[in-house]
Amino acid sequence: LQIAALMSLMGTSMAFTSTPSFATQSSSTSLEATRRESLSSIFTTSAATLATLTTLSTPAFAAREPRPEYLTEPTEAFKESERQRDEFRRNQLLLKKKFTSLLDRLTFESTTEAELVTDLDQLRALVIETGGLPLGIKKDEMVKIIRAKKAKGFWPTNVEISYQGLTREIAYQQSPNREKDTANPL
């Protein structure tokens, strides 16, 4: 935009300062003098116009904020967040170990109805205690493992009731709508 305005001004200043084509020049020195005068007036006008345009309009990059500097050392907030992240991962690994040990006992060791019900109830209590499943254990995978045990044969009604209670509790804990709105009567 600035360059276009400058070029148009240069064109108009040339129109006013150049000698008309119908005038005849008597000597080459007067032609050179006229050319010099017109060129110097063009450059003077152009320089003045350019200076005016640059002072009136601010460039787009002047309004931006400066780029942030990159830190060489991590900040205290970052170190604290890393510590919390590591602590969370360690807790999740411990919870996963508890869940896998219960699932292993359910699938490989438990054979009686009482043992199966106890294992499923302990899994449900662990889901309630932890507020859901730990990282690395998915509901579908756990259901597949338990259904494989069910498909092997011995699966009484009380075991099915405990299994349904476990799946309902997992669904409840994983639901985003766990918090009740007491002010809303609906």
Side-chain angles (χ1 to χ4, degrees), residues 153-173:
F154 183 70
W155 198 259
T157 305
N158 289 336
V159 176
E160 181 64 26
I161 292 170
S162 293
Y163 168 68
Q164 293 297 325
L166 173 65
T167 55
R168 276 193 311 272
E169 189 61 43
I170 292 171
Y172 174 75
Q173 293 293 336

Side-chain angles (χ1 to χ4, degrees), residues 57-119:
S57 65
T58 58
F61 62 85
R64 293 184 193 156
E65 294 180 13
R67 287 187 174 174
E69 294 182 26
Y70 290 104
L71 302 174
T72 56
E73 293 293 321
T75 62
E76 292 301 319
F78 178 77
K79 289 178 183 177
E80 177 65 20
S81 124
E82 283 290 317
R83 185 193 62 74
Q84 290 174 351
R85 196 172 300 124
D86 288 341
E87 182 180 334
F88 176 76
R89 286 182 190 142
R90 273 186 261 121
N91 290 340
Q92 290 296 308
L93 285 174
L94 292 174
L95 291 174
K96 185 178 178 182
K97 185 183 270 187
K98 287 181 185 178
F99 271 90
T100 54
S101 68
L102 275 173
L103 282 173
D104 288 343
R105 188 173 68 202
L106 174 73
T107 55
F108 300 119
E109 297 173 15
S110 299
T111 54
T112 65
E113 180 180 348
E115 290 175 342
L116 291 170
V117 169
T118 303
D119 290 341

Side-chain angles (χ1 to χ4, degrees), residues 124 127-128 131-132 139 165-180:
R124 183 175 181 200
V127 167
I128 293 171
K139 177 184 175 189
L166 173 65
T167 55
R168 276 193 311 272
E169 189 61 43
I170 292 171
Y172 174 75
Q173 293 293 336
Q174 290 181 342
S175 171
N177 301 322
R178 281 182 22 193
E179 298 172 6
K180 300 267 184 190

